[in-house]
Amino acid sequence: MSDLTGHAFDTPRKARIKGAADFMNHKGLPYFHTELFRFNGVSKTRGWAILSQDNELFDRQHHNNEGVSKQRGRPSVLSPKDLERCDHFLQDFGWSARSLTWAQLAEELDLDVSGQTLRIHMGSMHYHKCIAYSKGWVSRNLASKRKDWAKVMLERYPECSQWRRVRFSDEVHWSVGPEGKVRIIRKPGERYCADCIQHTLNRDDEKANQRQHSWAAVGYDFKSDLNFHTTKSCNGKMSLQVYRDQILEPIVKPWLQRGDDFVLEEDNDSGHGGGATKKRNIVKIWKEQNKLEHYFNCAQSPDLAPIENCWRPPKQFMSRFPHWDEFETRELALEGWQKVSQHFINEQVDSMPRRLQDVVDLDGQMTRW
């Protein structure tokens, strides 16, 4: 077994990682997986892959092990458990996993099959490769702005604990109708892929364009409800009035009134009071009157907003079920939102210094986050 750089990891090192994690979990001792991986000199992706291996899979490499039962007949090329591991690996490790070739993915997970065989089996689970859409490109100007922004924020807030005051907020839109089961291995920052859109309904059908809009915020030891709002905009864009009247006033204001100590992170959208607008900025006025501490994230930088990672579990959950009306859509979205654990959110928040450093190291290009 080797990491993406080709360095082999010996069995004793893998055993140390698994043994240390099992001991800490058994004793209920708090620890960070990233520190465990760093101590043993493995990457985060490689470390999680090692921990995801069960004993049977771990031991099957040793053909002379008397403790491993011998099986007669030709075994299945890939078991359902192997495919489940592939699915979890692709979903959990994002771009760093999805950017691998099929052959690299098979090697990464110690699957004794060719890349072509893995591609065929994963195709049965509706996984496909596609050419990266050009929207994933980060221009030189944007890359420079991202790098400068990351440097400033990293100098001001270099410690994980300093980011635990932040509540990262965002809107998300849920399609009414089948979300579709095709999951594309894309590069980060890409939103659409023209060749991979599933046209399951007639585009003249009004239902094809119906969407439900919601807003939420997450932070360290904090997770808001999924709050639905209405907007007259055909693309779901939130206006200043909608943001003030349906989000800030009924949701954020009670946090301030009860004395919560937090800073609200928002994207620099005109509806949030940012950007250039000729209208009277009623959102900016509201924030000043209510003394709301806030900051705008760097433009076009979803990898610097941990809440972006939190939308993935509910969207994956919803893709498993058709939802033809707004009521089913909302119920599934709420049920999917419940699957986002606080432990997962805390890990994303504590990753902020690492995210910023990755942006600096990559000269402003999109990161694996």
Side-chain angles (χ1 to χ4, degrees), residues 62-323:
H62 306 285
H63 305 291
N64 296 323
N65 189 340
E66 296 181 356
V68 179
S69 60
K70 303 299 187 294
Q71 297 180 351
R72 295 182 178 273
R74 182 179 179 180
S76 175
V77 177
L78 285 174
S79 68
K81 185 174 291 186
D82 289 331
L83 295 178
E84 184 179 358
R85 287 179 57 233
C86 290
D87 182 46
H88 287 321
F89 184 74
L90 288 170
Q91 298 299 341
D92 292 343
F93 300 114
W95 173 79
S96 60
R98 292 169 183 258
S99 61
L100 298 174
T101 65
W102 294 118
Q104 289 172 334
L105 180 60
E107 181 180 359
E108 184 73 11
L109 296 178
D110 284 343
L111 301 175
D112 189 19
V113 296
S114 67
Q116 176 72 359
T117 299
L118 181 59
R119 181 189 68 80
I120 294 173
H121 280 73
M122 293 302 289
S124 68
M125 297 174 64
H126 305 286
Y127 273 100
H128 303 282
K129 277 279 190 181
C130 68
I131 298 174
Y133 184 52
S134 60
K135 195 160 187 168
W137 168 254
V138 177
S139 68
R140 182 179 301 179
N141 184 43
L142 176 58
S144 178
K145 291 181 179 179
R146 278 168 48 85
K147 184 176 181 179
D148 291 342
W149 191 90
K151 280 184 175 180
V152 170
M153 299 301 281
L154 192 58
E155 290 175 358
R156 292 179 179 175
Y157 313 106
E159 303 296 332
C160 297
S161 58
Q162 295 172 304
W163 289 94
R164 294 181 179 182
R165 286 190 65 225
V166 179
R167 292 183 180 177
F168 298 88
S169 67
D170 192 21
E171 299 94 50
V172 66
H173 311 287
W174 315 95
S175 297
V176 176
E179 290 281 349
K181 293 186 177 180
V182 177
R183 290 162 283 186
I184 307 303
I185 304 180
R186 299 188 182 116
K187 293 183 179 179
E190 292 172 348
R191 299 288 185 172
Y192 307 101
C193 180
D195 294 331
C196 302
I197 296 176
Q198 291 179 292
H199 298 282
T200 56
L201 294 176
N202 189 323
R203 285 300 178 184
D204 295 329
D205 191 337
E206 184 179 358
K207 283 189 175 182
N209 296 317
Q210 288 183 350
R211 293 192 295 176
Q212 293 295 299
H213 317 291
S214 60
W215 179 96
V218 297
Y220 196 88
D221 287 341
F222 176 84
K223 175 187 175 186
S224 78
D225 293 331
L226 191 62
N227 303 278
F228 288 88
H229 60 273
T230 58
T231 175
K232 296 181 179 180
S233 174
C234 61
N235 62 2
K237 184 177 176 62
M238 187 180 290
S239 67
L240 291 169
Q241 184 172 354
V242 169
Y243 190 50
R244 182 195 64 179
D245 296 345
Q246 297 188 43
I247 303 299
L248 294 178
E249 189 67 26
I251 302 171
V252 178
K253 190 172 184 177
W255 301 346
L256 297 169
Q257 291 175 333
R258 71 190 185 199
D260 290 9
D261 179 29
F262 69 96
V263 177
L264 186 66
E265 178 270 352
E266 307 161 291
D267 61 47
N268 196 12
D269 186 82
S270 59
H272 299 154
T277 177
K278 297 181 180 179
K279 297 181 180 179
R280 181 170 175 264
N281 202 322
I282 57 177
V283 167
K284 184 177 181 180
I285 294 174
W286 188 96
K287 291 177 180 178
E288 293 174 350
Q289 291 177 341
N290 290 274
K291 299 179 180 179
L292 173 66
E293 289 188 67
H294 71 99
Y295 80 90
F296 293 122
N297 190 17
C298 185
Q300 301 181 48
S301 299
D303 53 337
L304 295 178
I307 192 172
E308 293 284 351
N309 303 97
C310 298
W311 295 133
R312 188 165 55 216
K315 286 191 173 183
Q316 291 171 0
F317 174 76
M318 291 185 68
S319 70
R320 296 162 50 192
F321 308 97
H323 34 281

Side-chain angles (χ1 to χ4, degrees), residues 17-79:
I17 294 174
K18 292 172 67 69
D22 290 343
F23 175 78
M24 302 292 273
N25 293 334
H26 177 72
K27 292 294 185 180
L29 300 175
Y31 69 101
F32 291 106
H33 287 92
T34 52
E35 294 181 357
L36 174 62
F37 302 152
R38 189 180 303 115
F39 177 78
N40 286 278
V42 300
S43 67
K44 179 180 177 182
T45 300
R46 184 69 245 132
W48 278 112
I50 291 172
L51 291 182
S52 68
Q53 296 174 317
D54 56 33
N55 291 332
E56 179 182 354
L57 188 63
F58 188 79
D59 290 339
R60 75 176 185 178
Q61 303 167 29
H62 306 285
H63 305 291
N64 296 323
N65 189 340
E66 296 181 356
V68 179
S69 60
K70 303 299 187 294
Q71 297 180 351
R72 295 182 178 273
R74 182 179 179 180
S76 175
V77 177
L78 285 174
S79 68

